Amino acid sequence: KAAYQFLRTVEHRLQQVRDAQTHRLPKDPDEQACIALSMGFASWEDFSKQLKLHRRRVRNHFDQVFESPQISQSDAVDKSLQLKQIWLQKLDGDKAQRLLEELGYEQTASALETLKALASASSTRALSQTGRQRLDALMPLLIAAVAPTRNGHDVLKRVLELIQAISQRSSYLALLLESPMALSQLIKLCAASPWIARQLKQHPLLLDELLDPRALYHPPKRDELEQDLTRRLAHIAAEDLEQQMDVLRHFKQTNVLRVAAADVSGAVPLMIVSDHLTYIAEAVVKSALALAWNHMIKRHGVPAGATDPAARQHFAVIAYGKLGGLELSYGSDLDLVFLYDADANGVTNGEKSIANAVFYARLGQRLIHILTAFTPAGNLYEVDMRLRPSGESGLLVTHVDSFLEYQLKQAWTWERQALVRARPVAGDAQVIERFNHLRKQVLMQPRDREKLRAEVVEMRERMRKELVQTQAGLFDLKQSAGGITDIEFMVQYVVLAWAASYGNLVTYSDNIRILDAIAENGLLSRDECRDLADIYRQFRSDIHKFALREQHAVVAEDKIARQQARVCDIWQAHMLGAT
């Protein structure tokens, strides 16, 4: 950026001096002195020195993007030939290992075995002549590009598994061969995350995203996501549900890759990562509901009370859990509840008329199918409906009135805890408004705090016994004592215990802003709330990293001893003490 501004300013000065469209530096000493002074330098020599500095920096960056950055120019031809011999298994084993070691590989024998496995794979032997030529030309660049990465032999294995998956489509090999930037981005992402490598392997269309790092590392905002998905679906015939479902899947995969790329590069902080993953899911759920609705009204007409397809849907999707709390992670399920407020005894107005209650039950089933079905483009999300009234034995779609009655009279304490993190994400504005009102009504009911605390503590202890299976000295970031779930349970207890007196406790569904409200009302000290929020963010950030590495979120206790002790102290004071 600094070089661009400098060079642009020089361009302006040149054209001002000569009053002409020129980009040539002057040779006349007087003109040189004029340019130097106009640029703020005492002499042409000082100006030239700064100009050369900018030019050298730009050239270096240019070479990294458009030249093959993997091999220095001085020995490019020789190294490339040697690496190609390694790939073609024409180089002596000892010499091959020495060459790989010089490049930076530590486990050279393992790297050679990985290369040999790809070379002898049936998919490689079955390549067309063009495909084989492209693969042979790509491999020296790829071997050299992987070499500087940490645990290069592991990264090489991930990348070669991807290469094997896409090798039959030689256009992808050409993309990586002809675009060093795309190859460099591929290596960088596969080195950072086996999860990303697996996504690229399963969905090769995502390789196109590697061509533009500006878009890859800058996830779209919420409104941009919704506009993008709307545009994509606009090109698909209204009756082609299968193609529409594929569009939803490509949209999700592309944008989650962007978030993951920005995450591993450090371009966005934790809270923004979760926000973006949440926005992607919201956009998908909204569009999926629209598709399900259009499918249903074409078959059965609109429910009683509506006069046309654009009228009220009388239906809303309520998100619980991580989606409800704006804390979605990679691979998270969607915890959903479906509500409607139409007359349950009414009927639809189509030729195949059905009762409203049946219509909405089928609408819910259709929505789940769109979200969970496995298509040639993969899958979208796993959907968990167990938080609906009466759980798995309850109706798939619940009338708002029945939902309120259940929450007030029958719901267990853990169901009301779950309601703390619930919020609408799609559907009819009036149903959404009714839910928001009843959520506040339920959460703000006066409660026996001692009884409530005993129930919450009992539930938490039972969860620990059932879910914590770590070895001694290891800490489960989510379930161990002092982990994420302890913080969540404390937040939920405070909301249920004090919301009747402090209404701002139920304004938001995410833990961080609820903790702000708890501190504002003095229900926990500001230091306690600040520490809980900081630890919560840290643990969630760690969980994201483990997800991208496809590892369990378990760490050594000594690494988080201070944070664990702090959470346990606050739990002891407020959940087991006398406050």
Side-chain angles (χ1 to χ4, degrees):
K1 183 178 177 180
Y4 188 83
Q5 292 173 335
F6 183 90
L7 295 171
R8 275 294 193 192
T9 305
V10 174
E11 176 190 43
H12 295 159
R13 299 294 180 265
L14 289 172
Q15 295 178 5
Q16 286 172 325
V17 168
R18 300 187 182 183
D19 195 23
Q21 279 290 113
T22 181
H23 298 86
R24 293 184 178 276
L25 293 171
K27 295 182 179 180
D28 179 77
D30 289 339
E31 287 191 8
Q32 288 179 344
C34 185
I35 293 296
L37 289 170
S38 70
M39 290 296 296
F41 295 91
S43 67
W44 179 254
E45 288 73 20
D46 291 341
F47 164 78
S48 297
K49 188 181 297 184
Q50 187 65 27
L51 176 63
K52 289 178 181 177
L53 176 64
H54 283 302
R55 289 179 60 190
R56 185 165 61 250
R57 286 176 175 169
V58 172
R59 183 72 234 183
N60 287 339
H61 287 301
F62 186 91
D63 287 345
Q64 290 181 36
V65 174
F66 294 108
E67 301 290 338
S68 293
Q70 297 80 12
I71 307 175
S72 62
Q73 292 299 311
S74 60
D75 62 352
V77 175
D78 183 50
K79 276 286 199 315
S80 181
L81 289 174
Q82 290 180 312
L83 292 176
K84 190 168 185 177
Q85 286 182 315
I86 289 179
W87 162 242
L88 297 176
Q89 302 177 55
K90 294 182 178 180
L91 196 65
D92 175 79
D94 291 338
K95 290 182 179 179
Q97 288 197 47
R98 282 198 298 271
L99 178 57
L100 291 179
E101 187 174 0
E102 289 174 8
L103 285 173
Y105 285 94
E106 294 180 355
Q107 299 185 27
T108 55
S110 175
L112 285 175
E113 284 299 316
T114 302
L115 290 167
K116 183 178 179 180
L118 176 62
S120 59
S122 57
S123 57
T124 302
R125 295 197 304 269
L127 286 174
S128 65
Q129 182 178 358
T130 300
R132 183 69 203 212
Q133 289 173 345
R134 288 174 174 173
L135 181 62
D136 291 345
L138 173 64
M139 288 306 297
L141 295 176
L142 190 150
I143 295 169
V146 171
T149 63
R150 184 180 179 184
N151 297 324
H153 60 286
D154 289 334
V155 179
L156 183 66
K157 184 177 181 180
R158 291 174 206 160
V159 176
L160 294 190
E161 287 177 351
L162 168 62
I163 296 298
Q164 183 174 355
I166 66 173
S167 60
Q168 296 300 319
R169 308 178 194 179
S170 64
S171 59
Y172 289 129
L173 299 178
L175 182 153
L176 296 173
L177 181 62
E178 296 167 7
S179 174
M181 172 60 79
L183 178 58
S184 295
Q185 297 303 319
L186 174 65
I187 302 303
K188 177 180 179 181
L189 293 174
C190 289
S193 168
W195 183 87
I196 293 178
R198 184 164 55 83
Q199 293 298 305
L200 291 169
K201 175 184 173 182
Q202 292 176 348
H203 312 293
L205 284 174
L206 296 176
L207 289 171
D208 292 334
E209 297 297 315
L210 300 176
L211 291 175
D212 187 357
R214 294 170 300 175
L216 180 63
Y217 293 100
H218 293 85
K221 298 177 182 177
R222 173 185 271 165
D223 57 340
E224 294 171 336
L225 286 167
E226 293 182 359
Q227 292 167 10
D228 177 31
L229 185 50
T230 299
R231 284 193 298 269
R232 295 183 187 217
L233 289 169
H235 298 295
I236 309 300
E239 65 277 4
D240 192 348
L241 181 59
E242 182 176 346
Q243 187 62 30
Q244 291 167 335
M245 290 168 65
D246 281 349
V247 167
L248 291 178
R249 282 147 181 77
H250 291 314
F251 167 84
K252 183 227 176 178
Q253 293 154 7
T254 297
N255 285 291
V256 170
L257 174 65
R258 290 176 177 172
V259 175
D263 189 1
V264 299
S265 70
V268 295
L270 161 72
M271 301 301 287
I272 304 301
V273 169
S274 290
D275 285 350
H276 280 295
L277 293 174
T278 298
Y279 299 157
I280 293 166
E282 287 178 4
V284 168
V285 171
K286 287 178 182 177
S287 292
L289 175 57
L291 296 178
W293 173 261
N294 291 333
H295 171 83
M296 288 297 298
I297 63 176
K298 284 180 181 177
R299 297 188 65 182
H300 303 292
V302 294
T307 56
D308 61 75
R312 284 189 59 200
Q313 292 180 347
H314 296 269
F315 181 92
V317 179
I318 312 302
Y320 279 67
K322 291 179 180 177
L323 179 59
L326 291 92
E327 297 171 355
L328 216 61
S329 184
Y330 305 101
S332 292
D333 295 349
L334 303 186
D335 293 298
L336 304 178
V337 168
F338 301 149
L339 301 179
Y340 76 103
D341 72 348
D343 180 2
N345 297 317
V347 296
T348 63
N349 64 1
E351 291 185 7
K352 298 181 179 179
S353 179
I354 56 177
N356 283 353
V358 175
F359 175 92
Y360 286 109
R362 292 183 183 176
L363 175 63
Q365 292 170 344
R366 174 61 55 174
L367 175 54
I368 292 174
H369 170 74
I370 293 173
L371 292 173
T372 62
F374 194 88
T375 76
N379 63 343
L380 272 171
Y381 296 98
E382 294 296 324
V383 172
D384 191 335
M385 300 292 298
R386 289 176 295 179
L387 288 173
R388 66 186 187 268
S390 301
E392 294 179 337
S393 63
L395 296 174
L396 184 65
V397 182
T398 308
H399 195 281
V400 175
D401 294 337
S402 299
F403 183 83
L404 175 60
E405 183 177 6
Y406 178 85
Q407 287 291 338
L408 290 174
K409 299 180 179 179
Q410 301 178 49
W412 296 84
T413 296
W414 65 264
E415 291 178 285
R416 293 178 182 136
Q417 287 179 246
L419 192 62
V420 172
R421 303 181 70 189
R423 66 186 179 91
V425 292
D428 187 295
Q430 292 185 41
V431 181
I432 288 174
E433 183 179 357
R434 287 196 64 186
F435 171 80
N436 287 333
H437 177 75
L438 73 83
R439 174 179 175 271
K440 291 181 179 179
Q441 182 181 348
V442 172
L443 295 180
M444 293 177 68
Q445 291 292 307
R447 294 181 174 88
D448 182 330
R449 295 188 189 117
E450 290 305 317
K451 179 182 177 183
L452 171 66
R453 181 165 50 190
E455 291 175 346
V456 172
V457 169
E458 181 185 0
M459 171 64 70
R460 182 68 193 106
E461 290 176 349
R462 188 161 64 247
M463 286 178 65
R464 283 201 198 101
K465 291 178 181 178
E466 295 176 358
L467 300 176
V468 178
Q469 299 178 349
T470 57
Q471 299 175 356
L474 296 179
F475 180 83
D476 184 318
L477 288 166
K478 184 174 182 181
Q479 294 294 347
S480 289
I484 280 180
T485 305
D486 279 8
I487 299 175
E488 292 174 341
F489 269 50
M490 278 190 279
V491 168
Q492 292 159 10
Y493 163 73
V494 173
V495 171
L496 293 175
W498 294 98
S501 302
Y502 303 97
N504 64 338
L505 292 175
V506 301
T507 302
Y508 298 109
S509 61
D510 62 286
N511 287 297
I512 299 301
R513 286 186 291 186
I514 296 175
L515 280 167
D516 289 341
I518 291 172
E520 180 182 338
N521 294 315
L523 301 171
L524 272 67
S525 73
R526 289 193 177 275
D527 286 346
E528 288 173 328
C529 289
R530 182 199 62 233
D531 290 347
L532 289 176
D534 289 345
I535 294 169
Y536 193 74
R537 291 189 190 96
Q538 178 191 332
F539 286 178
R540 280 182 50 213
S541 179
D542 290 341
I543 285 177
H544 280 315
K545 293 173 184 176
F546 280 111
L548 288 174
R549 295 198 295 262
E550 296 189 325
Q551 297 173 347
H552 296 299
V554 176
V555 299
E557 281 186 343
D558 57 1
K559 290 186 176 181
I560 46 78
R562 179 183 59 81
Q563 295 90 331
Q564 180 186 20
R566 180 58 170 156
V567 174
C568 287
D569 286 346
I570 299 173
W571 177 273
Q572 176 70 33
H574 295 277
M575 303 304 294
L576 303 179
T579 56

